[in-house]
Amino acid sequence: MATPDADEKYMALALELAEKGRGKVEPNPMVGAVLVKDGEIVGKGYHQVFGGAHAEIYAIHEGGTNCRGATLYVSMEPCAHYGKTAPCVDAIIKAGIKKVVAAIIDPNHITSGKGIQKLKGGGVEVVVGVMEMQAKRHNAPFFKLMQKGLPYVTVKWAMSIDGKIATHTGESRWITSDESRKYAHKIRGQMDGILVGINTVARDDPLLTCRIEGWRNPKRIVVDSNALLPIHSRLLSTINEGEIIIAVNKNAQPNRVEKLEQLGCKIVRTNDINGYVDLNELFQQLGEMKLTNILVEGGSRVITSVIEGHLADKAMIFIAPIIIGGEGAKSPVLGTGINKISEAAEIDEVEIKRFSNDIVIEGTLKYRG
């Protein structure tokens, strides 16, 4: 019989395996599975790609005849419905697995609780809740999409140690080191979409692609209220490298919108909020498209809007040991600000990484104002 410590050891391995699917399985959750018999690991697996076999199936295939009488540790409740693949619970029961230890119940209403119920009906002992908090945090984007219909939004910026994202002339290349930028591209490759404002496109003419071999390009989303995206931008010249979504307000000039559609862009229309796109409505529509993870990269107006609107779930801040100065040099977050320190948004569950001489602060956002 496994001890609580052993349960956590095997579940921690399942979560570690699940992480390998980040950026490849969305809008599915990341799931890992470890098959244990007589204190030995006899099979393991993880969900590797959207539409492909689930973690449990890989573990069962590896376990073979050792499955009979074994315990399966899985980071999320096994599915009980037909989707891209057959139900995992059927394969578990057929393999003769005697016990399933799951970290969390699947929040997807199609399966939620049904997998557990079917396993018990098939004579399988089920335990739920081992490393539950870690598993929920690990799949926070999936939980948000399932429960609220919204993507998980990470806001990211790079700044000098005195809090500037560009000089007073607008120059921002490059504040951080090559190592930091490589990490930023890895993060891009894990995202479903990367979002910027039209001013960033007009100023920097970015590609918004992931420049790491073998990683995917996210959908490139431009908040462009009046459909002003330059026709000769590098975005449009590389439309075959990644879908471009243009968010316009409903008062944007029809001829401009039509031209962007003709060039292959997907247009998302929202209500007009003082001449700007309604970001709440935009994220709702992106959620309907099953985009799980959105990375907001700027500029200041967009960053400010998502933070003031309490729309960002996570912050990722790159800080370089340089001093830019200048009253006209932009800070990442502008707007009216808060009246009291007690109202400040807080970064929680902080992780700190270092790349060359830069540091990166990552954590979930808590809003108090």
Side-chain angles (χ1 to χ4, degrees):
M1 180 180 293
T3 65
D5 285 347
D7 283 347
E8 290 203 359
K9 180 181 79 170
Y10 295 129
M11 191 61 75
L13 177 56
L15 286 166
E16 186 179 319
L17 288 166
E19 178 63 26
K20 294 182 178 183
R22 188 179 296 276
K24 303 177 182 70
V25 302
E26 291 82 0
N28 282 352
M30 298 173 288
V31 181
V34 177
L35 194 63
V36 178
K37 187 172 185 179
D38 299 327
E40 298 290 332
I41 295 174
V42 295
K44 56 184 183 294
Y46 67 96
H47 187 27
Q48 298 181 10
V49 63
F50 178 71
H54 290 185
E56 301 93 322
I57 304 305
Y58 282 110
I60 288 169
H61 284 170
E62 189 175 311
T65 57
N66 283 318
C67 289
R68 190 156 297 280
T71 297
L72 179 68
Y73 292 85
V74 61
S75 59
M76 185 174 288
E77 172 189 11
C79 65
H81 67 284
Y82 281 90
K84 297 282 185 182
T85 61
C88 289
V89 291
D90 293 348
I92 292 168
I93 294 168
K94 184 178 179 181
I97 291 168
K98 71 172 183 179
K99 182 178 179 180
V100 169
V101 180
I104 47 177
I105 300 292
D106 191 333
N108 187 344
H109 68 90
I110 295 173
T111 275
S112 189
K114 298 182 179 70
I116 302 300
Q117 186 178 10
K118 193 167 184 181
L119 286 171
K120 288 180 176 178
V124 179
E125 181 185 351
V126 180
V127 174
V128 180
V130 174
M131 297 187 74
E132 180 179 9
M133 292 307 298
Q134 294 93 324
K136 281 185 176 178
R137 191 179 303 124
H138 184 250
N139 264 312
F142 180 71
F143 270 80
K144 186 179 180 187
L145 187 66
M146 290 298 103
Q147 294 174 339
K148 297 183 179 180
L150 293 168
Y152 190 87
V153 177
T154 300
V155 61
K156 168 209 163 244
W157 66 80
M159 68 182 186
S160 62
I161 204 164
D162 60 332
K164 306 297 184 182
I165 61 173
T167 69
H168 70 93
T169 64
E171 183 181 301
S172 59
R173 293 182 178 177
W174 295 105
I175 289 176
T176 52
S177 65
D178 288 343
E179 290 85 352
S180 290
R181 295 199 297 278
K182 285 176 185 174
Y183 177 64
H185 279 287
K186 178 183 174 183
I187 298 301
R188 280 185 179 182
Q190 297 173 345
M191 295 288 164
D192 300 309
I194 177 169
L195 184 148
V196 298
I198 185 59
N199 290 339
T200 295
V201 176
R203 183 184 66 245
D204 298 338
D205 196 18
L207 287 169
L208 304 180
T209 52
C210 171
R211 260 87 95 194
I212 300 178
E213 183 96 20
W215 291 65
R216 67 175 180 174
N217 281 332
K219 298 181 190 301
R220 296 171 289 174
I221 307 160
V222 182
V223 180
D224 184 11
S225 304
N226 298 308
L228 298 176
L229 182 67
I231 300 303
H232 301 295
S233 66
R234 293 203 297 168
L235 277 178
L236 290 177
S237 67
T238 57
I239 197 165
N240 61 320
E241 295 181 25
E243 184 178 347
I244 296 174
I245 299 172
I246 309 296
V248 302
N249 70 47
K250 291 178 178 176
N251 292 325
Q253 290 189 21
N255 62 318
R256 290 176 177 167
V257 173
E258 185 179 349
K259 180 63 176 176
L260 292 173
E261 285 181 313
Q262 289 171 352
L263 291 169
C265 299
K266 180 178 180 64
I267 303 297
V268 173
R269 294 172 174 82
T270 78
N271 286 316
D272 185 327
I273 305 294
N274 299 320
Y276 296 110
V277 163
D278 183 339
L279 289 179
N280 284 282
E281 191 176 345
L282 170 59
F283 286 129
Q284 287 170 6
Q285 294 192 51
L286 295 176
E288 289 167 6
M289 296 178 199
K290 300 302 181 187
L291 299 191
T292 309
N293 288 287
I294 301 294
L295 181 66
V296 174
E297 285 204 356
S300 295
R301 178 172 286 165
V302 172
I303 290 171
T304 301
S305 295
V306 297
I307 290 178
E308 285 190 340
H310 297 183
L311 299 172
D313 302 284
K314 182 177 180 179
M316 182 177 293
I317 302 158
F318 292 71
I319 304 172
I322 61 173
I323 299 170
I324 291 176
E327 290 183 9
K330 277 195 175 179
S331 299
V333 185
L334 303 173
T336 55
I338 57 171
N339 295 321
K340 301 176 183 178
I341 296 297
S342 61
E343 298 172 350
E346 179 184 357
I347 299 177
D348 197 15
E349 299 171 3
V350 171
E351 291 183 43
I352 299 175
K353 300 180 173 73
R354 180 170 173 173
F355 298 97
S356 187
N357 288 326
D358 304 333
I359 63 169
V360 182
I361 298 174
E362 300 180 26
T364 56
L365 278 165
K366 290 172 63 178
Y367 299 100
R368 301 183 293 182

